[in-house]
Amino acid sequence: MKQPDILLFMSDQHGADYCSWGDVKVDTPTLDAIRKTGTVFENTYTSCPLCVPARISFMSSKLPSDTGCYGNQDALPDITPCFTHALVAAGYETVLAGRMHFVGEDQRHGFTKRIAPDITPVSWTVPKEKMAQERGNLMGCQGEPFCLNYVGAGESPVMNYDKMVIEQVLEYLEEPHEKPQFILVGTYGPHFPYITSKEMYLKYYDRVEKPSFYEPEEIPEYLQDFELQSSRMCGEEARWKVTRGARAAYCGLVEIMDSQIGKVKKAFEKYTERHGTEGIFGYCSDHGDTLGERRMFGKQTYYEKSAKIPFLLTGSGVPANKQIQALTSIMDIGPTICELAGTEYTFGEGRSLLPYFAGEEDGERIVVSQFVEKYKGESYASMMLRYKNYKYISYHHYENKDMLFNLKEDPKEGHNCITEKPEVVEYLKNERRKLISFDEMEKQRADHGKRAQLFIAVEKNTGINDEERWKDNPPEARGELEIAAASEPIVPGSRIMRI
């Protein structure tokens, strides 16, 4: 029997609640169809609410505390096994089409070929001058804290990059290939800038509602006197006109992404039909976006909109119309794909979810997410533990602000029930301590930061290798908006950088 061809579509910054069946309604007919013909894992969480560490964890099935990677200027050593290595060993051609946010000389980590470049820097050194020329006024709007500077309808680097990636994938699927295929399609939407097409913007501008805890009087009590968190809350720059525009643009980007998934899925099905092979198609993202809840935007927090991600599978060996409620992790995706491919990947903390198809779920499992953020020059380690109905969050130096949410009773995370469930809190505190100390996490980040600075110094003398970074953003996608909810040039140093 032939090995199945497998395609995984991985977006960037798509929270699980932004879809037709989620808390924020977006028209996602392709994902709806996958949900009906396949299996959706309703409670999948990122292992870190930031791009690079989440993706490193996805590739290796290891927690950030095992890789030491907590920031976007980091990389896996090339001797670290990834699930893609297991697929290659099993005879697969592993193809990277687009984004994976690899940094440094190794741009493969088990992929045997790449057919489309990345949109973010692939070198340790950020080529700021080149990227400023390519991206114009949108250069700094791809991250916090400047994501609200340009919001509206028009052209953007995100949409142009994703269009290029999809074109490359469709071309590749028209070609014959000898080996069984594992293809990872990596797009950048719905990652900010919060800019979408005029059609999508107007559609969702009329539909979006104010996010939870948006008005000052609605801000939860647990954020009072919690500077590390409250400093993330936006002020006047998040006035309703801008927030409404950001939510409209984001939802529009999600719908555009859904249509791209549909195009790729259709081409993949034609490919497997021509080759007479079974096919497995999946979709996931790396983390979400709070999009104005608690007046926060982007990721880097453990609230549901930031930490919970979509994960769906359909095809050979995948049950139809099945919704799995058990807690799962981004680290499970690689081992699950490997078992579907007829092999295994047993490194790291991730696990194959095939037993869950048969109802063999682990009700005692704790799913973990970790982060070390920078604030005012200091590092602050933190951790989230999801257990049964509960979510426990703890920040170093702010342990008196520990949070516990009962997501069954309080899905929007408005009430901190930390004092009401002492036995749950004590159990999860002990489990957190078993994993790693906050001091050690902060030391890991500092050590990796020193390593990055050394490699930057090397590149200063040898030059950077920028070959696998996308550089073709057109002039019309550099900040000229058809409809502007915000169009404010970025003033360096005007806001606190967090990573």
Side-chain angles (χ1 to χ4, degrees):
M1 182 177 176
K2 288 184 178 180
Q3 293 166 293
D5 291 309
I6 304 170
L7 191 148
L8 181 68
F9 195 113
M10 188 175 192
S11 67
D12 199 306
Q13 204 160 305
H14 180 208
D17 276 332
Y18 302 97
C19 58
S20 63
W21 66 93
D23 179 53
V24 180
K25 303 301 181 189
V26 184
D27 293 337
T28 52
T30 303
L31 294 181
D32 288 354
I34 294 173
R35 194 168 188 256
K36 291 173 183 174
T37 61
T39 294
V40 57
F41 298 88
E42 299 279 19
N43 287 292
T44 303
Y45 287 84
T46 187
S47 53
C48 181
L50 187 64
C51 297
V52 168
R55 289 165 178 271
I56 284 174
S57 195
F58 159 76
M59 292 295 299
S60 65
S61 292
K62 292 179 178 291
L63 282 167
S65 56
D66 288 325
T67 65
C69 300
Y70 299 99
N72 274 347
Q73 212 165 30
D74 219 328
L76 271 179
D78 60 9
I79 60 169
T80 303
C82 296
F83 78 91
T84 40
H85 290 112
L87 291 171
V88 174
Y92 274 80
E93 186 163 36
T94 51
V95 183
L96 176 58
R99 176 161 179 74
M100 190 44 70
H101 212 154
F102 291 144
V103 177
E105 287 297 317
D106 188 355
Q107 289 289 309
R108 295 296 179 270
H109 295 285
F111 286 102
T112 54
K113 67 165 65 171
R114 186 179 214 159
I115 61 171
D118 211 321
I119 188 172
T120 47
V122 296
S123 53
W124 293 97
T125 306
V126 177
K128 292 180 180 178
E129 291 185 7
K130 287 184 181 178
M131 292 184 68
Q133 292 174 354
E134 297 161 6
R135 312 284 168 89
N137 289 331
L138 301 182
M139 166 66 175
C141 298
Q142 292 176 200
E144 302 98 327
F146 301 111
C147 58
L148 295 183
N149 282 59
Y150 281 82
V151 174
E155 290 285 330
S156 81
V158 175
M159 290 189 290
N160 280 282
Y161 172 79
D162 288 353
K163 181 181 177 183
M164 177 277 299
V165 170
I166 300 306
E167 288 173 352
Q168 294 299 313
V169 173
L170 297 181
E171 285 183 19
Y172 185 81
L173 289 171
E174 286 291 327
E175 302 166 356
H177 303 289
E178 189 175 319
K179 290 184 176 182
Q181 298 289 302
F182 170 70
I183 305 168
L184 192 146
V185 180
T187 56
Y188 202 36
H191 193 288
F192 32 51
Y194 296 126
I195 299 170
T196 191
S197 69
K198 183 178 180 180
E199 177 188 2
M200 288 292 106
Y201 187 82
L202 292 174
K203 173 180 178 176
Y204 285 101
Y205 196 80
D206 289 337
R207 281 174 52 167
V208 295
E209 299 175 350
K210 287 184 179 180
S212 301
F213 317 118
Y214 171 75
E215 299 294 350
E217 64 272 14
E218 298 172 340
I219 301 300
E221 185 178 346
Y222 55 76
L223 288 176
Q224 293 180 9
D225 303 316
F226 191 175
E227 182 183 356
L228 191 66
Q229 282 279 286
S230 61
S231 62
R232 289 189 173 278
M233 295 164 53
C234 294
E236 172 59 20
E237 69 270 24
R239 57 196 178 276
W240 175 230
K241 175 187 175 183
V242 178
T243 299
R244 184 180 183 181
R247 291 174 71 80
Y250 183 90
C251 291
L253 288 170
V254 171
E255 183 170 338
I256 290 170
M257 176 202 72
D258 183 85
S259 70
Q260 293 168 339
I261 296 171
K263 291 177 183 178
V264 171
K265 184 173 181 290
K266 184 176 181 181
F268 178 67
E269 289 168 348
K270 288 182 178 179
Y271 175 87
T272 57
E273 184 178 346
R274 288 197 310 271
H275 285 254
T277 56
E278 299 290 340
I280 298 165
F281 188 94
Y283 172 70
C284 69
S285 197
D286 54 355
H287 53 72
D289 190 324
T290 51
L291 208 61
E293 283 197 358
R294 301 168 190 81
R295 301 187 75 86
M296 298 178 187
F297 291 80
K299 51 269 189 181
Q300 301 187 50
T301 66
Y302 300 113
Y303 303 116
E304 289 289 274
K305 295 293 192 296
S306 170
K308 192 161 81 167
I309 60 172
F311 178 37
L312 303 89
L313 289 169
T314 188
S316 179
V318 180
N321 198 26
K322 189 174 184 67
Q323 294 85 46
I324 292 175
Q325 300 297 331
L327 300 176
T328 52
S329 170
I330 194 172
M331 297 184 293
D332 301 332
I333 297 174
T336 302
I337 286 172
C338 284
E339 187 168 358
L340 286 168
T343 187
E344 63 177 5
Y345 180 74
T346 56
F347 299 88
E349 291 79 24
R351 60 180 68 174
S352 171
L353 299 176
L354 262 63
Y356 288 35
F357 291 164
E360 300 172 18
E361 301 171 0
D362 183 357
E364 293 295 319
R365 186 182 188 187
I366 297 174
V367 169
V368 177
S369 190
Q370 302 170 322
F371 186 39
V372 179
E373 63 187 280
K374 304 286 286 187
Y375 179 60
K376 293 184 176 179
E378 300 293 329
S379 291
Y380 294 88
S382 60
M383 208 176 301
M384 178 204 84
L385 285 78
R386 271 288 276 120
Y387 172 67
K388 294 188 175 179
N389 295 328
Y390 297 100
K391 177 190 288 186
Y392 170 68
I393 302 171
S394 184
Y395 287 83
H396 197 199
H397 306 301
Y398 288 91
E399 284 85 353
N400 64 323
K401 292 293 184 180
D402 280 3
M403 296 176 244
L404 184 74
F405 300 112
N406 184 332
L407 295 181
K408 184 176 182 180
E409 298 176 0
D410 178 26
K412 292 187 182 295
E413 303 164 295
H415 174 61
N416 183 6
C417 61
I418 195 83
T419 61
E420 301 162 22
K421 299 289 181 179
E423 70 288 349
V424 175
V425 173
E426 190 59 29
Y427 172 63
L428 294 177
K429 276 186 178 180
N430 288 333
E431 293 300 309
R432 175 185 66 76
R433 293 185 188 113
K434 289 178 187 178
L435 288 167
I436 190 173
S437 72
F438 283 151
D439 285 330
E440 181 59 26
M441 289 172 65
E442 289 164 3
K443 183 179 182 299
Q444 287 177 320
R445 171 128 199 196
D447 290 344
H448 280 236
K450 291 176 184 176
R451 185 175 70 178
Q453 290 304 310
L454 176 61
F455 296 148
I456 289 170
V458 170
E459 289 180 340
K460 185 176 181 180
N461 285 286
T462 63
I464 67 172
N465 183 349
D466 206 25
E467 291 180 3
E468 296 195 24
R469 183 180 66 81
W470 179 69
K471 309 175 186 69
D472 298 324
N473 187 48
E476 59 269 22
R478 299 177 186 178
E480 294 295 326
L481 302 180
E482 293 182 73
I483 304 173
S487 56
E488 175 188 350
I490 293 169
V491 179
S494 61
R495 297 179 202 162
I496 296 173
M497 299 298 291
R498 299 299 297 252
I499 59 172

